[in-house]
Amino acid sequence: MGAGPGDPGLLTLRAVEALARADLLVGDRPVLDVVRTHARADVGTAEPAVDGEVLDTTAIADAASQLVMASARTGKRVVRAVVGDPGLDSCAAAEMLACARAGIPFEVVPGIASAVGVPAYAGVPLSGDVRFVDAATASDRCWSEVGASDATLVVSTTLQTVAAMAAELIGSGRKPDTQLSVTVAGTTTRQRTWTATLATIAAELKATKALPTPEGPIAAIAVVGERAGQHEQLSWFETKPLFGWRVLVPRTKEQAASLSDQLRSYGAVPHEVPTIAVEPPRTPQQMERAVKGLVTGRYEWIAFTSVNAVKAVREKFEEYGLDARAFAGIKVAAVGEQTAQSLVEFGVKPDLVPSGEQSAAGLLEDWPPYDPVFDPIDRVFLPRADIATETLVAGLVELGWEVDDVTAYRTVRASPPPADTREAIKGGGFDAVLFTSSSTVRNLVGIAGKPHNVTVIACIGPATAKTAEEHGLRVDVMAPEPSVHALAQALADFGLARRQAAGAAGDPVTRPSERRPGARRRTRV
């Protein structure tokens, strides 16, 4: 199976299907990191290695074949994942041949080849006369032929040998001023592209301190020809507003998922750190009576103020063998879009969602007063957290409703994150942190320490910003409305403005974690 160049989003639908059915994944660790999220939680993994040694291609193919065939003979479904496309991988060809000789049936799932996908992500279009070269196996005759041609070259090479490759092409007849682009970590948020000419690439890599590198050879895709010069105009991936930013998302893991997806769309690398753990109430009897009251017609309304409240009621329903049909005849309110979406996933379409501010106050703005003529029942069921404020209860009572304010779940401080995460938080390893409530501020500082001064602090609203400032944090970004999606967008706008300011000043674009603490920055609203 081809795993593509590195971006998990480039896996094909067929690849995702194969992964979901796999009993064992075989591949190098970076490839396994790309594909394992689409596999079952209990899937096995194996790396083709002998005594932990780095293998040559022949030994890799042999080791992988033995792993695949040994498992397949026991009836397991094995996915052998390779970078790019298996049709262009010499190891994969040898492994397929070994399976065929052993009588083990196999299928081939094509993937996006690195030589095609990486230039696309680098903003270098490939069209016309294009030739693909593997620098590791290219002969002198090959270099002479491509050097004498005018074709666009796509060369699979390493960053350390790019300068030698350029000299080889000049010696074979290519003009020294021929455009050249070099991309490493293509299609991932670590991607970086350099543009120069064959004659100047060595100086460019030295000037930007790309070389020397402490690690071993770094795989690279080089494009030689006129098309390489279009990177500056067509670069769409590396110019995303938060490209490469490490963003801390301190929420419960369930709540962080959609926010992390949005951050990835801006080019960021979200790092989820749960600061709040959700636990059942200490005494479940009150919740049990309220759920039974739903079935027996005790309530006119049920109001959900969070995704966790929906989850708590849903779990109690499942405990009693109930489903969404138990809401028949009851009006349902949700405090915001995310809570409403979680209800829809449960099979319930809310009757009331705030038309304005997504908060308890916004919900009260739209909530109808109790009318004894039109409302046969005057009671509202309000399942919520043990630490919730009284705003909604007081407002409903003022509108004439009786409220059963029920503790559906407890929020407690989560366990501290791993030591390396705590060190990154305090040492400036994160570029930004998103605070979605005052409790996330208090809890993160309590379990992990205060974020470094270089870290951009983004808050969902004034109350959260005030709490952050009380903890000695400088607030850089505030959402224009109390919504996690608006908060992520506000951070993206901040990142874009920062990128544009660097470009206008002629400065290189850097991430906040790459800069030393500077002057106090103003809050961006």
Side-chain angles (χ1 to χ4, degrees):
M1 187 198 77
D7 180 355
L10 295 181
L11 287 169
T12 65
L13 290 174
R14 182 69 186 92
V16 172
E17 291 174 0
L19 290 166
R21 300 168 63 194
D23 300 308
L24 176 69
L25 305 180
V26 177
D28 295 331
R29 186 169 301 171
V31 181
L32 293 177
D33 289 342
V34 171
V35 302
R36 77 171 77 236
T37 55
H38 295 285
R40 302 195 315 265
D42 62 344
V43 71
T45 60
E47 297 180 59
V50 177
D51 297 327
E53 296 293 327
V54 177
L55 310 177
D56 59 28
T57 54
T58 302
I60 289 174
D62 183 59
S65 298
Q66 295 304 318
L67 279 171
V68 169
M69 291 190 291
S71 296
R73 287 191 180 104
T74 65
K76 290 184 177 179
R77 183 178 292 273
V78 185
V79 168
R80 166 64 166 129
V82 300
V83 175
D85 180 80
L88 301 176
D89 187 294
S90 58
C91 287
E95 292 165 30
M96 286 187 280
L97 185 59
C99 287
R101 287 171 175 164
I104 293 178
F106 64 91
E107 300 177 19
V108 177
V109 180
I112 295 177
S114 298
V116 175
V118 172
Y121 269 55
V124 180
L126 303 178
S127 60
D129 187 3
V130 181
R131 303 189 188 183
F132 297 90
V133 179
D134 185 344
T137 59
S139 63
D140 292 340
R141 180 179 178 182
C142 173
W143 289 120
S144 296
E145 289 179 355
V146 297
S149 74
D150 293 326
T152 297
L153 305 182
V154 182
V155 186
S156 300
T157 182
T158 66
L159 190 63
Q160 288 83 350
T161 57
V162 165
M165 175 207 72
E168 184 81 36
L169 289 172
I170 292 173
S172 299
R174 284 278 173 143
K175 295 179 180 179
D177 61 354
T178 301
Q179 292 287 316
L180 168 71
S181 73
V182 181
T183 303
V184 297
T187 78
T188 74
T189 50
R190 295 176 287 105
Q191 176 176 308
R192 185 174 180 185
T193 301
W194 294 267
T195 55
T197 65
L198 291 176
T200 62
I201 186 60
E204 175 67 18
L205 294 176
K206 183 177 180 181
T208 56
K209 299 181 180 179
L211 293 173
T213 58
E215 57 262 48
I218 299 175
I221 298 293
V223 180
V224 180
E226 182 182 347
R227 298 287 185 184
Q230 296 180 309
H231 163 76
E232 296 295 335
Q233 292 76 40
L234 300 181
S235 178
W236 61 272
F237 185 53
E238 293 173 57
T239 55
K240 287 192 171 188
L242 300 177
F243 183 77
W245 283 38
R246 292 186 70 200
V247 179
L248 194 66
V249 184
R251 309 190 77 200
T252 63
K253 203 157 187 68
E254 294 83 359
Q255 293 171 327
S258 62
L259 182 55
S260 292
D261 288 342
Q262 186 178 358
L263 289 169
R264 288 189 190 96
S265 73
Y266 301 134
V269 184
H271 188 93
E272 298 169 4
V273 175
T275 59
I276 298 173
V278 177
E279 297 182 357
R282 287 191 174 91
T283 54
Q285 291 82 2
Q286 187 186 25
M287 184 69 170
E288 290 170 357
R289 285 196 299 270
V291 170
K292 290 176 181 177
L294 276 176
V295 180
T296 58
R298 174 178 172 82
Y299 302 107
E300 181 77 8
W301 282 90
I302 179 171
F304 292 97
T305 58
S306 70
V307 172
N308 286 326
V310 177
K311 182 180 178 183
V313 171
R314 186 170 184 172
E315 288 175 350
K316 190 61 68 174
F317 269 34
E318 291 171 353
E319 183 181 326
Y320 291 146
L322 301 172
D323 56 29
R325 288 173 293 183
F327 287 105
I330 299 171
K331 299 185 183 73
V332 180
V335 79
E337 293 177 3
Q338 282 190 297
T339 304
Q341 181 58 38
S342 67
L343 282 167
V344 171
E345 291 169 1
F346 185 21
V348 180
K349 184 178 180 181
D351 301 281
L352 177 63
V353 180
S355 57
E357 180 181 311
Q358 295 186 21
S359 64
L363 190 61
L364 286 171
E365 287 287 329
D366 294 340
W367 197 290
Y370 170 67
D371 189 325
V373 176
F374 297 103
D375 300 311
I377 304 169
D378 66 350
R379 192 168 294 275
V380 178
F381 174 25
L382 183 58
R384 55 184 191 147
D386 57 333
I387 60 172
T389 63
E390 301 301 316
T391 302
L392 186 55
V393 175
L396 289 173
V397 170
E398 191 174 328
L399 289 170
W401 295 95
E402 294 288 332
V403 181
D404 281 358
D405 184 11
V406 178
T407 298
Y409 61 95
R410 292 183 300 122
T411 55
V412 297
R413 181 177 289 181
S415 302
D420 57 344
T421 300
R422 298 198 303 271
E423 198 58 41
I425 290 171
K426 293 182 286 188
F430 286 99
D431 298 288
V433 57
L434 297 184
F435 287 121
T436 55
S437 66
S438 292
S439 61
T440 58
V441 177
R442 290 189 292 267
N443 289 344
L444 181 70
V445 173
I447 66 176
K450 190 167 69 172
H452 194 279
N453 185 52
V454 298
T455 306
V456 173
I457 305 297
C459 295
I460 199 167
T464 304
K466 182 180 179 183
T467 304
E469 289 171 346
E470 288 172 352
H471 283 77
L473 300 176
R474 176 199 64 248
V475 178
D476 302 283
V477 179
M478 199 182 325
E481 59 185 71
S483 155
V484 292
H485 297 300
L487 177 59
Q489 181 63 59
L491 181 63
D493 292 342
F494 178 89
L496 180 60
R498 194 173 176 277
R499 174 180 287 274
Q500 291 173 338
D507 297 330
V509 176
T510 59
R511 303 191 308 274
S513 61
E514 296 174 320
R515 297 181 61 181
R516 294 180 179 178
R520 180 182 177 89
R521 287 166 286 176
R522 295 180 179 178
T523 302
R524 180 180 177 84
V525 180

